[in-house]
Amino acid sequence: HREQAAEIAGVLDVDASCVQVVGAGYREDVFYCEHANSREPTARAEPTLLYAGKLSNSKGLPQLLDAVEILQHGIPKIHLHVAGSGAGEEADNLRARIESMSRLVTWHGQLSPEELAAQMRKSQVFVLPSFYEGLALVIVEAIARGCRVAATGLPGTVELAQRLPGSIALVDPPAMRTVDAPREEELPAFVERLAAAIQSSLGEPPLTHAQSLVQPFTWKAVFDRIEEVWRASRV
């Protein structure tokens, strides 16, 4: 994303115009919206949330679990599906907590792209509460499947929100202690903001124009940008 491009230009001590951002592509043969050409989107089981990523504190998963516990009081049927894996004590603790919340949360382990796409199809809101991300391509994949998104407002995610208007509810991040560890005293307010963003997203209608939104992120569009930069460099 653009902030990374500026950092690279600084490290290499070159003009910012020398670094071109082309991004990455998603698999449109796997992540697509069945109702893209229909006026009436297929009904989903709701209110259903999905998280996909590492079982890690730096991904904001503990705070997402906190937010779900808050939301259940106003949305009794809310359910979170967690796709991903992890190793070590941190991941073990998260798995144990997820198991203790079995009425509200289901852990699926590591899913294949096809399995993840199928789960996205069943979900109303994709949630990515990370404290550190590069370019979160999984957000694009979720939108391509018609999901609303609630995500921490990190630089790459903010850029995606600008390019995918109306599809991402941004959550102000907490003040950070290190690059991927927030200040503990900031977390309760972050959880409240995350819960509010999820609740707001659950109240939004499904995305019926998902395919046109994510078109710039297809591999063909990425290749076209690469080709344009390559041809310009040979003039």
Side-chain angles (χ1 to χ4, degrees):
H1 54 73
R2 289 190 296 265
E3 184 172 286
Q4 291 171 324
E7 291 175 359
I8 291 169
V11 169
L12 298 179
D13 193 24
V14 299
D15 189 88
S17 63
C18 295
V19 183
Q20 302 294 324
V21 179
V22 296
Y26 78 97
R27 287 188 59 184
E28 57 184 314
D29 62 318
V30 174
F31 299 95
Y32 59 90
C33 214
E34 285 89 343
H35 61 254
N37 297 317
S38 172
R39 291 178 178 269
E40 297 296 330
T42 303
R44 297 173 186 230
E46 53 184 38
T48 306
L49 313 177
L50 173 64
Y51 164 88
K54 189 177 179 181
L55 299 186
S56 168
N57 292 347
S58 66
K59 291 291 187 179
L61 186 52
Q63 287 66 49
L64 175 55
L65 297 176
D66 291 343
V68 170
E69 288 186 325
I70 291 172
L71 288 166
Q72 70 168 318
H73 300 295
I75 313 173
K77 293 184 179 180
I78 195 169
H79 199 88
L80 169 66
H81 295 266
V82 175
S85 62
E89 183 179 359
E90 195 172 282
D92 291 342
N93 290 338
L94 283 167
R95 274 192 292 268
R97 185 177 176 193
I98 288 170
E99 289 173 3
S100 73
M101 297 173 64
S102 59
R103 186 180 67 80
L104 297 170
V105 187
T106 299
W107 177 53
H108 297 272
Q110 192 71 34
L111 299 181
S112 69
E114 292 77 10
E115 291 169 334
L116 179 59
Q119 190 58 55
M120 285 174 173
R121 175 64 179 152
K122 302 173 187 176
S123 303
Q124 190 175 358
V125 178
F126 179 81
V127 190
L128 192 66
S130 303
F131 299 123
Y132 178 82
E133 285 287 346
L135 179 65
L137 195 61
V138 68
I139 289 178
V140 176
E141 294 169 343
I143 292 172
R145 288 293 279 177
C147 291
R148 295 280 174 179
V149 174
T152 311
L154 303 174
T157 309
V158 170
E159 188 172 322
L160 282 177
Q162 293 168 349
R163 298 179 65 184
L164 300 166
S167 58
I168 304 174
L170 295 173
V171 182
D172 288 340
M176 303 298 290
R177 179 169 49 84
T178 64
V179 68
D180 62 355
R183 296 184 182 277
E184 291 293 326
E185 65 273 18
E186 294 272 332
L187 290 177
F190 174 74
V191 171
E192 292 287 345
R193 294 194 297 272
L194 179 61
I198 292 170
Q199 185 168 11
S200 174
S201 298
L202 285 170
E204 295 288 336
L207 293 170
T208 56
H209 59 304
Q211 299 306 117
S212 60
L213 272 177
V214 298
Q215 193 281 328
F217 298 91
T218 62
W219 275 114
K220 180 185 184 306
V222 172
F223 176 80
D224 287 345
R225 289 194 290 275
I226 294 172
E227 184 180 32
E228 183 180 346
V229 172
W230 182 79
R231 290 186 181 280
S233 71
R234 295 175 61 84
V235 174

